Amino acid sequence: MAKMDISTEGKIKAAAKKLFTKNGFEATRTRDIAEEAGINLALLNYYFRSKQKLFEVVMRENVTLFLGSILETINKNQHLTFDEKIELLIDQYIDMLLANPDLPFFILSISRTEEFKKDDSDNPILQSMKLMRASFMQTILADIQSGKLKPVHPLHIISNLMSMIVFPFAASALLKTRTGISDEEFEKLMLERKKLIPVWIKAMFDN
Amino acid sequence: MAKMDISTEGKIKAAAKKLFTKNGFEATRTRDIAEEAGINLALLNYYFRSKQKLFEVVMRENVTLFLGSILETINKNQHLTFDEKIELLIDQYIDMLLANPDLPFFILSISRTEEFKKDDSDNPILQSMKLMRASFMQTILADIQSGKLKPVHPLHIISNLMSMIVFPFAASALLKTRTGISDEEFEKLMLERKKLIPVWIKAMFDN
DNA sequence: GTCTATAGGGTGATAGAC
DNA sequence: GTCTATCACCCTATAGAC
């Protein structure tokens, strides 16, 4: 849970975040946000001017949440080896997703919009991410050259890492209804994956 | 592309499929479907009674498309070994997704709705899938017992297989904008994965 | 079957009192 | 800052002519 904000503006933002993240822009009614926040509909426009503006605030926060945890983990642990960083990243990322299970689907849905493609230069977190991805690709290429990793396009490694961490959350509704597992079993499986994914990545790509 | 249907009903269904699959139920206007189909708005209701009913038709077709190719591949190749079936399935599935790149996101989005959870018993393709998944899990458990596979929850194997095939398509917009790869490079990478994913699965789970 | 016109209801946004 | 009341628009669905 994010920190409690009892100001009216904070309540609106929290309600909007909850509903937009779960149901997306189109399926969310401003009336529902107002009701969820326990305030009047007119106040929503008083504080945020429009539904669109409010959505952009939520979008920005969710992107920061989704990418911020990666950046923080990597930046605050420069002393670790590459492999150790990956392990730590997976561990912390799965914790974050267990606390915010709707985030992956939300990110996937906004990534399909035109606005998202333009929102490049003015979001500092996206810029940091760009740099991190570049250095990540660089490290992989060096490890391929030195024979530590198998020769394969770095995007396959990044895709598989992302896939294995994020996809089960994006598809959790599907997994739960189809296989009949409970929320508790799902969480247990995701926690298991913290230890398994690093091993799998090594098995796939190490020489 | 699906087979061309020049009847009015067929034109409406094709237009609805295109727009619903790309943008989902809420973001799609019946007016847009009518325009896309080149027909009058009233005809949409004449043929399909309501937006909701039309969406359900499209949903049913997309679920069939998404699961049907798996079932067909498996059923028509009983003579192959388990590993060979997996290889064939991956190959054909990636081809299907290259032809229908919006399908994964569509399936993920409908899986999050309440209607989808109830739509269990009355869809024959979902019943077939249930049976196939059961036999799949059975085979995996037997292979674990015989020592062929590492001892791990079968859902991890299924999740990783699904993740590696489907996720890059669900996240293709993200991958393309963020890494700057072109549509052609994306397709090339996905085709590469046809041969790579079977190898990766073996590396992860074989003893 | 296909069209035009319009009903009927919901949605985002604002005016104006307090 | 917060509320009530309401506008203006958009959307789905249908009535009714051809």
Side-chain angles (χ1 to χ4, degrees):
Chain A
M1 270 302 151
K3 57 194 168 303
M4 197 71 142
D5 188 340
I6 45 81
S7 73
T8 299
E9 188 176 348
K11 281 192 288 185
I12 296 172
K13 199 157 71 177
K17 194 168 183 174
K18 176 176 170 182
L19 296 180
F20 278 144
T21 305
K22 187 160 200 165
N23 305 322
F25 180 79
E26 305 277 358
T28 302
R29 309 283 97 106
T30 52
R31 279 170 168 76
D32 297 336
I33 296 174
E35 192 186 355
E36 173 79 27
I39 54 94
N40 191 276
L41 171 59
L43 283 176
L44 190 150
N45 293 85
Y46 173 76
Y47 280 104
F48 295 95
R49 276 180 39 91
S50 75
K51 180 187 181 185
Q52 183 64 41
K53 295 274 180 206
L54 179 52
F55 184 76
E56 279 161 20
V57 170
V58 171
M59 190 171 102
R60 182 70 55 110
E61 284 199 0
N62 276 341
V63 169
T64 301
L65 184 57
F66 191 74
L67 298 180
S69 49
I70 300 181
L71 291 168
E72 213 175 322
T73 302
I74 301 299
N75 288 333
K76 290 201 173 165
N77 294 283
Q78 300 285 4
H79 60 290
L80 297 179
T81 66
F82 187 70
D83 286 358
E84 287 168 335
K85 279 187 207 167
I86 299 288
E87 268 180 57
L88 192 61
L89 183 150
I90 293 168
D91 188 284
Q92 300 196 349
Y93 219 61
I94 287 179
D95 281 340
M96 189 275 286
L97 292 177
L98 282 170
N100 302 277
D102 288 326
L103 210 46
F105 185 79
F106 180 85
I107 298 291
L108 289 183
S109 60
I110 61 169
S111 76
R112 297 164 57 86
T113 64
E114 289 302 320
E115 301 98 313
F116 187 72
K117 295 173 189 166
K118 289 179 293 183
D119 187 52
D120 215 352
S121 47
D122 60 332
N123 191 342
I125 201 113
L126 285 176
Q127 291 305 305
S128 304
M129 196 60 205
K130 208 169 197 166
L131 292 173
M132 212 209 79
R133 189 174 38 247
S135 105
F136 193 85
M137 302 254 299
Q138 208 60 40
T139 307
I140 289 174
L141 285 172
D143 283 350
I144 288 172
Q145 208 119 39
S146 74
K148 183 172 174 291
L149 294 178
K150 293 188 198 304
V152 66
H153 196 302
L155 279 184
H156 286 309
I157 302 180
I158 294 177
S159 290
N160 289 3
L161 188 55
M162 277 183 66
S163 299
M164 291 199 296
I165 299 171
V166 171
F167 185 78
F169 288 91
S172 66
L174 202 62
L175 284 173
K176 286 175 190 169
T177 33
R178 292 302 133 200
T179 67
I181 60 169
S182 66
D183 290 355
E184 291 73 26
E185 288 168 317
F186 177 79
E187 180 167 344
K188 187 161 163 278
L189 284 170
M190 293 309 110
L191 290 174
E192 276 179 25
R193 292 173 78 82
K194 285 181 171 188
K195 293 208 189 302
L196 289 171
I197 294 173
V199 178
W200 290 330
I201 290 286
K202 280 182 189 304
M204 282 192 276
F205 300 113
D206 274 15
N207 254 330
Chain B
M1 269 304 148
K3 56 196 168 302
M4 197 69 144
D5 187 342
I6 45 81
S7 73
T8 300
E9 188 175 349
K11 280 192 289 185
I12 296 171
K13 198 155 73 175
K17 192 167 185 174
K18 175 175 172 183
L19 296 180
F20 278 142
T21 306
K22 187 160 200 165
N23 304 322
F25 180 79
E26 305 277 359
T28 302
R29 310 283 95 109
T30 50
R31 279 172 167 75
D32 298 336
I33 296 174
E35 193 187 357
E36 174 77 28
I39 53 95
N40 190 277
L41 172 57
L43 283 176
L44 190 149
N45 292 84
Y46 174 76
Y47 280 103
F48 294 95
R49 274 182 39 89
S50 75
K51 181 187 179 183
Q52 184 63 42
K53 296 275 181 205
L54 178 53
F55 183 75
E56 279 159 21
V57 170
V58 170
M59 192 172 99
R60 182 71 54 111
E61 284 200 359
N62 275 342
V63 169
T64 301
L65 184 57
F66 192 73
L67 298 180
S69 49
I70 300 181
L71 291 168
E72 213 174 324
T73 302
I74 300 300
N75 289 332
K76 291 203 175 163
N77 295 283
Q78 300 284 5
H79 61 287
L80 297 179
T81 67
F82 187 69
D83 286 358
E84 286 168 336
K85 279 187 207 166
I86 299 288
E87 266 180 59
L88 192 60
L89 183 151
I90 293 168
D91 188 283
Q92 299 194 350
Y93 219 61
I94 287 179
D95 281 340
M96 190 274 286
L97 291 177
L98 282 170
N100 302 278
D102 288 325
L103 210 46
F105 185 79
F106 179 85
I107 297 291
L108 289 183
S109 59
I110 62 169
S111 77
R112 297 164 57 86
T113 64
E114 290 302 321
E115 300 99 311
F116 187 72
K117 294 173 190 166
K118 289 178 294 182
D119 188 52
D120 216 353
S121 48
D122 60 331
N123 192 342
I125 200 113
L126 285 178
Q127 293 303 307
S128 303
M129 196 61 205
K130 209 169 196 167
L131 293 174
M132 212 209 80
R133 190 173 37 245
S135 104
F136 193 85
M137 302 253 300
Q138 209 59 40
T139 307
I140 290 175
L141 285 172
D143 283 351
I144 289 173
Q145 208 119 38
S146 75
K148 184 172 174 291
L149 294 178
K150 293 189 199 302
V152 66
H153 197 302
L155 278 184
H156 285 310
I157 302 180
I158 295 177
S159 291
N160 289 4
L161 188 55
M162 275 183 64
S163 299
M164 291 199 297
I165 298 172
V166 171
F167 186 77
F169 288 91
S172 67
L174 202 63
L175 284 173
K176 285 175 189 167
T177 33
R178 292 303 135 196
T179 67
I181 59 169
S182 66
D183 290 355
E184 290 74 25
E185 288 167 317
F186 177 79
E187 179 166 345
K188 188 160 163 277
L189 285 171
M190 293 309 109
L191 290 174
E192 276 179 23
R193 292 174 79 82
K194 286 182 173 189
K195 294 207 189 302
L196 291 170
I197 293 173
V199 178
W200 289 331
I201 291 284
K202 280 181 189 303
M204 281 192 274
F205 298 112
D206 274 13
N207 254 330

